[in-house]
Amino acid sequence: MANLKIKLVKSLNGRLDKHIATANSLGLRKIGNETVQPDNEQTRGKIAQIGYLLQVTEE
C-alpha cells in the first residue's frame, strides 16, 4: 500500500479549531513537521480539509 509524506508549511496560528485539530491528528504541530501516513480515504479527507496548509508527496 502506498504512503503519503505530509509536511506542514504554513502556521496554525489563527486557523479554525477544526483545522488545528485535523493537523494535530496527522501529527503536525509546528511548521516544518513531517509525517508519513497511509494513502487511504481517511487521510485523503484530512488533506482535503487542510490542504492549503500542507505539502504532500507520494512515497
Side-chain angles (χ1 to χ4, degrees), residues 8-37:
L8 187 65
V9 294
K10 290 190 177 182
S11 174
L12 295 174
N13 286 347
R15 306 295 178 188
L16 295 173
D17 289 339
K18 263 175 114 169
H19 292 190
I20 294 170
T22 302
N24 289 339
S25 73
L26 288 169
L28 305 170
R29 286 164 179 74
K30 293 182 171 182
I31 296 175
N33 281 161
E34 290 185 8
T35 183
V36 176
Q37 299 288 330

Side-chain angles (χ1 to χ4, degrees), residues 2-6 39 44 55-59:
N3 288 326
L4 298 172
K5 184 188 248 185
I6 305 168
D39 186 4
R44 290 286 180 170
Q55 178 181 16
V56 181
T57 55
E58 291 187 15
E59 281 195 337

